[in-house]
Amino acid sequence: MGNSVGQRAFQNARLQKRQKAEVLPLLGHALQLHKMGLLPEAQAAYRQVLQLAPNQFIALHMLGALECDAKNYQQAEILLSRAVAGDPRSADAHMSLGVALNGLRRHGEACASYRKALALRPNHAVTLSNLGNASVALDLHEEALHSYDKALACDANLAEANNGRGWALSRLRNYDGALASLDRALSIKPDYAAALANRAVALRELQRFDEALADGNRAIALAPDDANGWLARASILLQIQQIAKASHDCERALAIAPDSIQAHLVLGLCLAGLGQVDEAIASFDRALDIQPDLQSAISNKIFTLDFVGDATVERHQQARQVWWERVGAKIAAEASEPHDNSRDPDRRLVLGYVSSDFNAHSAAFIFKPVLQHHDRAQFEIVCYSCSSKLDTTTREFQGIADRWRDASQWTDERLAAEIRADGVDILIDLSGHTRGNRLGVFARKPAPIQAHGWGHGTGTGLPTIDYLFSDPVAIPLSVRHLFAETVVDLPCFVTLTPLPAGIERAPAPAIANGFVTFGVFNRISKISDEAAKVWSRILERVPGSRLLIKDVALDDQLVRDNLLARFAACGVPAERIDLLGATLRGEHLASFNRVDIALDPFPQNGGVSTWEALQMGVPLVAKLGNSLPSRAAGSILTALGLPDWVTDSDEGYIDIAVGHAADIGELDRLRRDLHGQIAAAAAGNPVSYARAVDGAYRAMWKRYCNGGA
């Protein structure tokens, strides 16, 4: 046995000597190939080295780094873990392993690897910058900024740290600061595609769309194989209503990065905008499979459920419960603080309104009359504006508010702190789960009473929001137990600001035309296949009638063609359909003078468009569904004394439209009378409506002062 052991030792020694003689020259050759930029050849040479010496540290490290560069992160992690095991004192190996782990979305482990590298080599700029990247991915933005700042203190010209800092500041809504950092990164490295993509996003948030598109285009030209450039441009195109082009860019991004959370999210938004509801929800679900607590994906799925015909109130509220369980409850647990507002039941109250729509947005037409007509002896109004979009409507809101707070670049933490400092008694969310919402602030409950109304109207699912404004048609008593909020009834769940002065209402156009024109002035995404079939049957039963459809998305030729193709499949030729795109509001309202009867979409009804049609004297047919999105138009018509225009079936909808189309004289009479009928109703009279809201606020406050919720 002794001889056998000695023989094996001798053979091992010979093998090691032979390997050393072969390995070192081969390793040197691999390093030379690497230095020359011949990367496939270098990879092959490193693999040869590892066949001869499986634990050769340099080969493991270099090959792992190359796999990282090629985004083969799983293979890189295997190689670099072996390298770190072989030499735990190598700061470079720990840093490279961090890059691989970050690429695998194991961001916490990546941070740990970077910290090990920094323990061995403190104040290394690239490692600090990489630690910042992993921290951003974990939403630890303040920690990320600390790492980037330390990196830049070591090397002020590190473009990657300036780029990372800019992205972190964007995530913190500090878009001005983000631009400064990204401009610095691009001054150091002018063709830095990642920085261009990040700057495009910051510019989009600042409403500087032309500059944003230019950066997105350049990012794609410089790095067509990087998904970020395509995604940045897609998000801009989506916001400026070029939905078909945005969808194409998302598909390009997904071809490059099939697991991109952002690509699935933005594609979902595009699909929803094109009316492809099931596909949109599937995209949001794919994003949530990757990151279950992605706030934007949950909220967009909630909003898109409005378009699902068979979605019950239970399903709507269950989706909101998901937001609370995955996002809101965690925020609330860390932010609970008592309120020190004086509990005087009769004092003047401070109302805080939070919205991203204090501008020329349709939602502003709904809540503007409420703010305008509050009793100022009872209430002080503070507006927290969360959008960079400024226009004449914004200036009107600034004139209405007692205090105007530009919160567009504030974090949720800061906004909540400012609300507390402002002494707000009742805080009102005007967004729900729509774009630009600040539900993270409401989860922190910075005011003793919180309410939601007018911006979305379907409830938020937040137990920290106490009240939801609605009415008995929009939310029937039988389903109110399903809501997180207590439902408070108003004359109607929404109202609308009166028409601008000088808008003329014409007689029924059928009198002059000799044929009836039906009109749809809603987003294309609201035109369900079910609604299109019903409208096609109406056109079939009313000889010579036409359909006028108006939406900003119809400026896109692909959207126009797709819509006409859908109606053609229902037997309606293109010559019976007129399509109108974006116009100024005066022209938009004047277009109603071309319509005899408006057709409200379903399952998601109109809101502002429903009111505008009625204000312009155009009666409207509505179908009543199960959940609030499908009961909105029925609620408005009932509140204005027009319940005969509401039905709960396809056949009833068709009969109402066809029956009224046969009596042009009666249509014309109703057209003349509608203006007065609206003004006489509490739902349509802004002063009466605001008084009802004032009374609701005072009742909430007295209940709170008496120890209630």
Side-chain angles (χ1 to χ4, degrees), residues 504-580:
E504 293 186 10
R505 299 172 185 81
I511 296 172
N513 292 337
F515 58 84
V516 171
T517 302
F518 296 98
V520 177
F521 281 51
N522 305 87
R523 294 196 306 272
I524 295 302
S525 56
K526 291 189 178 185
I527 301 179
S528 65
D529 289 341
E530 183 186 4
K533 289 174 185 173
V534 168
W535 297 341
S536 299
R537 289 175 62 193
I538 292 169
L539 291 173
E540 182 183 349
R541 285 184 53 183
V542 181
S545 60
R546 301 183 64 81
L547 180 63
L548 171 63
I549 304 176
K550 187 177 189 302
D551 179 37
V552 294
L554 289 170
D555 286 330
D556 186 323
Q557 188 62 48
L558 182 59
V559 174
R560 295 166 70 93
D561 292 344
N562 286 343
L563 184 62
L564 291 173
R566 289 174 64 196
F567 278 98
C570 297
V572 180
E575 53 266 25
R576 291 188 69 183
I577 300 175
D578 297 314
L579 303 178
L580 294 178

Side-chain angles (χ1 to χ4, degrees), residues 367-406:
F367 54 72
K368 183 181 171 186
V370 177
L371 274 67
Q372 272 181 315
H373 296 285
H374 276 311
D375 181 350
R376 294 313 181 85
Q378 289 194 62
F379 303 103
E380 177 186 357
I381 298 173
V382 188
C383 288
Y384 298 92
S385 177
C386 301
S387 170
S388 300
K389 182 179 178 180
L390 304 174
D391 54 28
T392 55
T393 304
T394 309
R395 287 190 285 276
E396 290 174 15
F397 278 109
Q398 288 172 335
I400 292 168
D402 295 294
R403 284 183 276 169
W404 178 265
R405 311 285 265 140
D406 181 357

Side-chain angles (χ1 to χ4, degrees), residues 432-622:
H433 287 275
T434 61
R435 176 180 168 80
N437 76 73
R438 303 300 293 270
L439 291 178
V441 172
F442 285 82
R444 291 169 168 80
K445 195 145 194 185
I449 297 174
Q450 299 191 150
H452 166 73
W454 306 299
H456 191 196
T458 56
T460 63
L462 274 66
T464 51
I465 293 184
D466 307 287
Y467 298 101
L468 166 63
F469 286 119
S470 193
D471 65 60
V473 175
I475 303 180
L477 297 177
S478 59
V479 298
R480 293 188 175 187
H481 65 282
L482 297 168
F483 288 76
E485 309 92 339
T486 297
V487 179
V488 174
D489 286 324
L490 294 175
C492 182
F493 84 102
V494 286
T495 186
L496 196 72
T497 190
L499 293 179
I503 299 293
E504 293 186 10
R505 299 172 185 81
I511 296 172
N513 292 337
F515 58 84
V516 171
T517 302
F518 296 98
V520 177
F521 281 51
N522 305 87
R523 294 196 306 272
I524 295 302
S525 56
K526 291 189 178 185
I527 301 179
S528 65
D529 289 341
E530 183 186 4
K533 289 174 185 173
V534 168
W535 297 341
S536 299
R537 289 175 62 193
I538 292 169
L539 291 173
E540 182 183 349
R541 285 184 53 183
V542 181
S545 60
R546 301 183 64 81
L547 180 63
L548 171 63
I549 304 176
K550 187 177 189 302
D551 179 37
V552 294
L554 289 170
D555 286 330
D556 186 323
Q557 188 62 48
L558 182 59
V559 174
R560 295 166 70 93
D561 292 344
N562 286 343
L563 184 62
L564 291 173
R566 289 174 64 196
F567 278 98
C570 297
V572 180
E575 53 266 25
R576 291 188 69 183
I577 300 175
D578 297 314
L579 303 178
L580 294 178
T583 59
L584 295 174
R585 186 156 191 253
E587 296 172 72
H588 170 76
L589 293 170
S591 298
F592 281 102
N593 288 327
R594 297 173 57 180
V595 174
D596 294 287
I597 299 173
L599 301 175
D600 204 70
F602 51 88
Q604 193 190 47
N605 296 170
V608 170
S609 60
T610 302
W611 270 105
E612 287 179 336
L614 296 167
Q615 287 179 332
M616 287 298 296
V618 181
L620 174 136
V621 189

Side-chain angles (χ1 to χ4, degrees), residues 75-255:
Q75 183 62 29
E77 191 258 343
I78 293 168
L79 292 163
L80 292 165
S81 293
R82 287 167 56 194
V84 164
D87 185 0
R89 301 290 300 167
S90 170
D92 283 332
H94 282 295
M95 186 183 77
S96 296
L97 178 58
V99 173
L101 291 166
N102 206 49
L104 291 168
R105 295 197 179 95
R106 290 156 59 183
H107 307 299
E109 295 173 69
C111 286
S113 282
Y114 293 139
R115 290 193 179 100
K116 287 178 184 176
L118 289 166
L120 294 164
R121 185 173 56 193
N123 301 322
H124 184 249
V126 174
T127 307
L128 285 163
S129 180
N130 287 345
L131 177 59
N133 296 342
S135 299
V136 168
L138 291 167
D139 289 332
L140 301 171
H141 301 120
E142 296 292 350
E143 287 185 27
L145 285 175
H146 178 69
S147 295
Y148 291 131
D149 288 342
K150 283 187 72 175
L152 292 168
C154 301
D155 181 0
N157 290 318
L158 184 62
E160 290 75 11
N162 282 290
N163 175 50
R165 188 174 189 276
W167 182 237
L169 288 168
S170 273
R171 297 289 295 275
L172 288 167
R173 304 179 65 94
N174 183 353
Y175 305 115
D176 291 334
L179 283 185
S181 285
L182 294 165
D183 287 347
R184 173 66 178 154
L186 288 161
S187 71
I188 298 163
K189 196 173 174 181
D191 291 338
Y192 192 179
L196 285 162
N198 288 339
R199 190 169 70 176
V201 172
L203 288 165
R204 181 202 72 201
E205 291 293 339
L206 292 169
Q207 309 287 308
R208 293 161 60 178
F209 299 124
D210 289 343
E211 296 167 79
L213 269 179
D215 275 355
N217 290 338
R218 193 158 160 240
I220 291 168
L222 288 166
D225 294 330
D226 186 343
N228 290 321
W230 296 102
L231 277 175
R233 190 170 75 177
S235 68
I236 300 157
L237 291 168
L238 179 64
Q239 197 159 340
I240 60 175
Q241 291 293 315
Q242 294 186 30
I243 302 174
K245 290 180 181 178
S247 179
H248 169 266
D249 280 4
C250 288
E251 297 287 2
R252 292 294 300 265
L254 282 168

